[in-house]
Amino acid sequence: MEIKYSMKKGSLIVRISGEIDHHTSEDIREKLDREFQRQNAKNIIFDFSDIQFMDSSGIGVIMGRYKNVKERGGKVGIFNVQPQIDRIFQLSGLYKIINHYHSLDEAVASLQ
Amino acid sequence: MQYQNTMTLSFISKSQNEAFARVAVAAFVSQLDPTLEEISDIKTAVSEAVTNAVIHGYENQEGIITVSCTICGNVVDITIADEGIGIEDIEQAREPLYTSKPELERSGMGFTMMETFMDEVEVESEKGKGTIVRMRKKLRSLD
């Protein structure tokens, strides 16, 4: 599991490669929170291009980050979601609190 | 005579084994030549059940989790068993968004995932004895 970060117009862009399950989620959570603080970001945008697997542990991770971001008045966005993970997001109602975009540019422009 | 096959795996309740279990079951089921979506459904359901055994059954203590998988024609039966603390109220545990461990940022969607991605999910549990989750999925790609 590898995480790449970049900053664009106040949004921390997070690209996770690998699988999000209970085992990896603890590490992801810790690294993400540290980077979010360090960059003093307002929003978080998840690039899901390289996620090969995610179960309900991933919902917990995103909901937890949503709470942190909301405290700063920011938002959580997501793009490039694979069909199976899209079903999990729909099922969990996560799209009611996070914004689903088609591309990074759309996410950055919309959240700035 | 329908094609039949079966396998059983036992492993320690380490979180590393969540990935091992779902990949092993997916590899076993792949002999039926399922679709990517079917494999994905099975992997997600197995991951949820094994994670429940690790976090809730054994509360991150060490114990044995046994996963077995039986193929009969185009029907896949998967059983995930632990000998952990058991579930006091199964109905409540199966409710969407219910979690006994909100402090761990658990979403409470584990059983809902299993029910959505498999055709049948049965839970048998006894306090202090453990939990058995039985799931069935018919692979429609083989109809």
Side-chain angles (χ1 to χ4, degrees):
Chain A
M1 198 271 304
E2 191 195 2
I3 311 179
K4 284 184 187 147
Y5 308 98
S6 55
M7 277 295 291
K8 255 186 189 173
K9 298 179 179 171
S11 293
L12 177 67
I13 299 142
V14 180
R15 184 170 179 148
I16 303 168
S17 307
E19 304 191 319
I20 309 180
D21 64 4
H22 160 241
H23 177 68
T24 58
S25 64
E26 287 169 24
D27 194 27
I28 293 169
R29 186 177 289 135
E30 196 181 302
K31 285 180 175 159
L32 256 172
D33 287 351
R34 202 186 312 138
E35 192 67 15
F36 182 64
Q37 293 296 334
R38 204 174 69 87
Q39 297 279 7
N40 200 22
K42 187 183 170 204
N43 309 303
I44 296 181
I45 299 171
F46 287 95
D47 177 350
F48 258 52
S49 311
D50 297 325
I51 304 288
Q52 281 112 31
F53 174 86
M54 187 190 92
D55 63 17
S56 73
S57 302
I59 299 168
V61 170
I62 291 172
M63 278 167 68
R65 306 305 57 75
Y66 167 77
K67 281 180 199 157
N68 296 347
V69 167
K70 202 176 155 208
E71 275 174 25
R72 287 194 186 178
K75 287 182 176 167
V76 174
I78 194 159
F79 70 98
N80 272 356
V81 181
Q82 321 293 322
Q84 177 77 8
I85 298 172
D86 188 62
R87 285 167 70 202
I88 292 175
F89 281 145
Q90 303 226 10
L91 188 66
S92 65
L94 213 62
Y95 286 143
K96 288 180 191 139
I97 58 168
I98 66 167
N99 302 327
H100 189 192
Y101 299 105
H102 296 292
S103 68
L104 174 62
D105 289 345
E106 191 196 353
V108 172
S110 167
L111 292 179
Q112 69 174 308
Chain B
M1 180 73 183
Q2 278 189 319
Y3 177 71
Q4 291 189 8
N5 199 354
T6 185
M7 71 91 168
T8 301
L9 286 174
S10 287
F11 48 86
I12 295 172
S13 56
K14 286 187 185 296
S15 61
Q16 284 87 342
N17 289 333
E18 293 154 6
F20 166 68
R22 65 179 178 257
V23 170
V25 172
F28 183 72
V29 173
S30 71
Q31 62 190 285
L32 293 177
D33 208 14
T35 61
L36 280 177
E37 189 179 315
E38 286 169 336
I39 277 288
S40 220
D41 289 353
I42 290 170
K43 277 173 82 173
T44 307
V46 169
S47 195
E48 299 294 351
V50 173
T51 301
N52 275 352
V54 172
I55 299 178
H56 302 287
Y58 291 115
E59 297 190 300
N60 294 314
Q61 304 294 307
E62 217 162 79
I64 298 291
I65 298 171
T66 303
V67 175
S68 42
C69 183
T70 299
I71 290 168
C72 185
N74 62 349
V75 175
V76 179
D77 282 303
I78 301 167
T79 304
I80 287 120
D82 69 63
E83 291 169 25
I85 61 163
I87 304 169
E88 213 161 319
D89 185 341
I90 296 175
E91 287 304 307
Q92 186 185 44
R94 290 179 77 146
E95 276 172 27
L97 303 174
Y98 171 80
T99 177
S100 58
K101 300 198 187 301
E103 72 281 5
L104 296 181
E105 283 189 0
R106 303 304 309 166
S107 65
M109 292 298 286
F111 276 118
T112 307
M113 296 284 170
M114 294 179 229
E115 287 161 3
T116 305
F117 296 133
M118 303 296 280
D119 297 331
E120 288 171 39
V121 179
E122 273 175 34
V123 186
E124 192 185 311
S125 191
E126 197 178 331
K127 221 179 154 205
K129 292 268 175 71
T131 301
I132 303 172
V133 177
R134 293 190 180 87
M135 307 189 281
R136 170 171 284 189
K137 191 175 181 72
K138 189 177 172 198
L139 302 185
R140 288 179 173 71
S141 55
L142 302 175
D143 277 347

